[in-house]
Amino acid sequence: MFSQFKNRERYPFWFELAPLLLTVVLLMVQFFVFKDYTPHVPLVVGICITGIFMALKGRKWAGMEQHMYRVMKVALPTTVIILCVGMMIAASIAAGTVQTVLVYGLSILKPTVFLPATCILTTVVSLATGTSWGTVGTVGLAMVGIGEALGVPMHWTVGAICSGSFFGDKMSPLSDTTNLAPAVSGSELFDHIRAMMWTTLPTLLIVVVISLLMGSAVREMDNSRVELIQGMMRAEFRISAWGIVPPAVILVMALLKIPAIPGIVGGLCAGLLLSLFQGASLHEALKVFFYGYEPSQLSAFAAATTPEAVNAAAAGAGTLFASVSDPAEFAKVGGLLTRLFTRGGMTSMLETICLIVVALSLGGIMEACGFLDVILEALMRRVRSVFGLIASVIASSFVANVFLSEQYLAIIVPGRMFRRAFDERSWDGRRLAPSMLSRSLEDSGTMTSVLVPWNTCGVYVSAVLGVPTLAYAPYCFLNWLNPIVALTMTWLGIAVTWRHGDRRHALPEVLPADP
């Protein structure tokens, strides 16, 4: 009965769109009906659905499988980096890096300025290192702990961390996406960065103002709780300024333009040495790299729910908590810190890697079937203006983030599709500069990846910081405001750049339509 669909040159649009829509329905049921934020199984079912539709087209499974493997190769460097970052998180905790930032940060930061300070700090670190993932796994993890101590909602904190981390991921010349986007679009690196400044810097200023307003709504911190947190961390770790050495090593190596993996390994070596300084044996320090860090004293504090248990736990740690008047609060803070520091290791990243494999398998089979190409072609037929072209790139990059589940593919696939349009389309003899394409790819492809629960970036942030993607996504103001600002500026004709050599012009207030 389905023979009518086989080996046709063109298929109805609904037929091409059906696998995407059915997969989205399954994901929505998983998230909003079952309240389960693990998308692995719905994506596997989506692969099966897409395979059925491809079979209806008369395609062979062997060809689909080979294309899936080719697409999955895109994630091999990412997978290695994920494993290295998992080890780096464990090493940062075992070495006392995160705890050092927490102890000193709690002494300096106040609730009213915590969110903008978090955004600015992660912006600086990610600009210097060129990695959002490394920033999230080190500085971001510390800021989550400080935010909890100050009484800031965790999803607010994660939103500020993502805003700052992905600013650097987008703008730093050391970032892989900052180099990938101009390579795909035919732009020059620093033309690309200059073009992005027009849309990204105003958005960052808006986000800082929003963060200040949100900070004014946070209640004043409980100093006794802060002192309790600092005391517990000092009982578990040796707090020292030496703790900042591992991230400093990574930062220096990044500034020297050493590739990401050797840079992380350098930080791992520094973390290993400081783990020995913390009192761990060589075997224990190496074991942490694989299994992650598991607190000992903090776990005892979390189990202390009576005055006698508090005194026993304090005596076991060789310290005294004179300010403890509420054993329940003591156990609560101990549990909070135990959850915060029971992290890292290669094993902690296995679920993330599993999701990446499944998501890219789905993206590969959809690309092999040409579903995404059909949608993009339908968009191009309706483009009649500069605004329409830029909006199509931004929308397509977001769609690619949703359905291909990988930040790199959300830049490569739309970039490959739209480069020809930017080369051929002209308005009154003028063609848009390639930097307009590369900027738009990053305005959406880089920025919105962390907002999708099954995208590699969304999965990573959720796994490392312990907050579901859909909980923190509304507070990633930079990530979803950036595309809106880019569209608004294009609509107003602001910072629209044209190719050198095309007829000179004055920027119009309203962009012209196609003749």
Side-chain angles (χ1 to χ4, degrees):
M1 64 180 289
F2 295 109
S3 59
Q4 58 176 317
F5 289 110
K6 287 188 176 181
N7 302 317
R8 294 172 56 175
E9 291 186 5
R10 297 193 65 83
Y11 293 85
F13 186 69
W14 66 264
F15 185 87
E16 304 280 10
L17 198 61
L20 304 182
L21 294 180
L22 291 173
T23 303
V24 169
V25 169
L26 289 172
L27 289 167
M28 295 303 102
V29 170
Q30 179 85 340
F31 293 151
F32 300 112
V33 177
F34 298 146
K35 306 296 184 183
D36 187 341
Y37 297 104
T38 54
H40 300 65
V41 174
L43 291 178
V44 171
V45 177
I47 293 172
C48 298
I49 292 172
T50 308
I52 292 171
F53 274 80
M54 290 192 72
L56 293 177
K57 281 187 169 186
R59 306 286 181 86
K60 301 296 184 181
W61 172 254
M64 294 187 285
E65 186 175 323
Q66 290 301 316
H67 196 83
M68 282 196 316
Y69 293 152
R70 284 197 296 271
V71 172
M72 287 167 61
K73 287 181 181 178
V74 173
L76 288 178
T78 303
T79 300
V80 175
I81 290 175
I82 288 173
L83 291 174
C84 290
V85 169
M87 290 190 287
M88 188 66 226
I89 291 170
S92 296
I93 295 173
T97 300
V98 176
Q99 300 86 321
T100 298
V101 175
L102 270 170
V103 168
Y104 294 125
L106 286 172
S107 301
I108 298 171
L109 292 174
K110 303 300 178 186
T112 52
V113 298
F114 171 74
L115 290 173
T118 297
C119 183
I120 292 170
L121 176 61
T122 51
T123 294
V124 171
V125 173
S126 61
L127 274 173
T129 61
T131 168
S132 57
W133 287 25
T135 304
V136 167
T138 52
V139 177
L141 187 60
M143 300 312 286
V144 165
I146 296 174
E148 283 201 286
L150 297 179
V152 179
M154 188 181 290
H155 46 284
W156 289 16
T157 303
V158 176
I161 292 168
C162 290
S163 292
S165 298
F166 280 82
F167 179 94
D169 191 8
K170 181 187 181 189
M171 298 296 296
S172 173
L174 302 177
S175 169
D176 46 7
T177 58
T178 309
N179 286 273
L180 177 62
V184 169
S185 64
S187 176
E188 297 293 333
L189 174 61
F190 288 101
D191 288 342
H192 169 59
I193 292 174
R194 281 192 292 269
M196 290 194 297
M197 287 181 179
W198 285 95
T199 59
T200 314
L201 290 179
T203 310
L204 181 63
L205 292 176
I206 294 171
V207 172
V208 171
V209 171
I210 293 173
S211 300
L212 283 169
L213 294 175
M214 292 175 65
S216 64
V218 180
R219 61 177 174 80
E220 286 299 318
M221 64 181 176
D222 183 351
N223 287 322
S224 63
R225 194 182 199 212
V226 170
E227 292 171 1
L228 181 60
I229 289 173
Q230 291 175 324
M232 285 186 174
M233 285 192 292
R234 292 184 186 279
E236 177 85 26
F237 309 98
R238 295 177 181 175
I239 305 301
S240 167
W242 287 104
I244 65 172
V245 169
V249 169
I250 296 176
L251 177 61
V252 169
M253 297 182 80
L255 293 175
L256 294 174
K257 297 186 178 181
I258 294 174
I261 293 176
I264 294 174
V265 170
L268 283 174
C269 293
L272 177 64
L273 293 175
L274 285 175
S275 299
L276 301 178
F277 170 75
Q278 291 285 350
S281 66
L282 180 61
H283 177 257
E284 290 171 338
L286 293 174
K287 188 177 178 181
V288 162
F289 285 177
F290 186 73
Y291 292 105
Y293 186 84
E294 294 184 7
S296 55
Q297 295 297 338
L298 293 177
S299 299
F301 297 155
T305 56
T306 64
E308 294 77 13
V310 170
N311 292 331
T319 187
L320 179 65
F321 296 97
S323 61
V324 175
S325 58
D326 184 358
E329 176 69 7
F330 184 90
K332 182 179 179 180
V333 172
L336 182 154
L337 294 177
T338 300
R339 290 190 300 273
L340 178 64
F341 295 125
T342 307
R343 293 179 187 269
M346 296 173 72
T347 58
S348 70
M349 296 298 170
L350 296 181
E351 183 177 347
T352 302
I353 293 172
C354 176
L355 182 53
I356 290 172
V357 171
V358 173
L360 287 180
S361 298
L362 177 61
I365 195 171
M366 285 188 172
E367 186 174 325
C369 200
F371 292 142
L372 190 62
D373 290 349
V374 170
I375 296 172
L376 292 176
E377 288 173 7
L379 283 173
M380 286 304 301
R381 286 197 297 269
R382 290 166 174 78
V383 170
R384 293 292 182 270
S385 66
V386 172
F387 174 81
L389 182 57
I390 298 301
S392 296
V393 176
I394 288 175
S396 299
S397 292
F398 176 71
V399 168
N401 263 326
V402 172
F403 293 111
L404 299 183
S405 307
E406 167 58 48
Q407 185 185 58
Y408 298 146
L409 293 179
I411 292 174
I412 293 171
V413 174
R416 189 170 57 206
M417 288 293 298
F418 282 99
R419 182 169 178 174
R420 182 177 175 183
F422 274 71
D423 287 339
E424 296 178 352
R425 289 285 181 108
S426 64
W427 285 266
D428 193 24
R430 299 164 295 175
R431 294 173 299 163
L432 289 172
S435 59
M436 288 293 292
L437 173 57
S438 60
R439 181 182 83 183
S440 301
L441 292 172
E442 289 231 66
D443 284 338
S444 182
T446 298
M447 290 307 227
T448 63
S449 58
V450 74
L451 307 178
V452 181
W454 52 90
N455 190 284
T456 53
C457 292
V459 171
Y460 173 79
V461 171
S462 179
V464 170
L465 301 183
V467 178
T469 308
L470 295 181
Y472 71 71
Y475 302 94
C476 297
F477 296 111
L478 187 81
N479 301 78
W480 58 262
L481 275 176
N482 195 180
I484 295 174
V485 170
L487 289 172
T488 303
M489 295 183 74
T490 304
W491 178 263
L492 297 174
I494 300 172
V496 176
T497 56
W498 306 86
R499 291 177 187 257
H500 296 298
D502 285 356
R503 190 170 64 82
R504 292 190 175 275
H505 65 284
L507 285 178
E509 292 184 5
V510 179
L511 295 173
D514 278 336

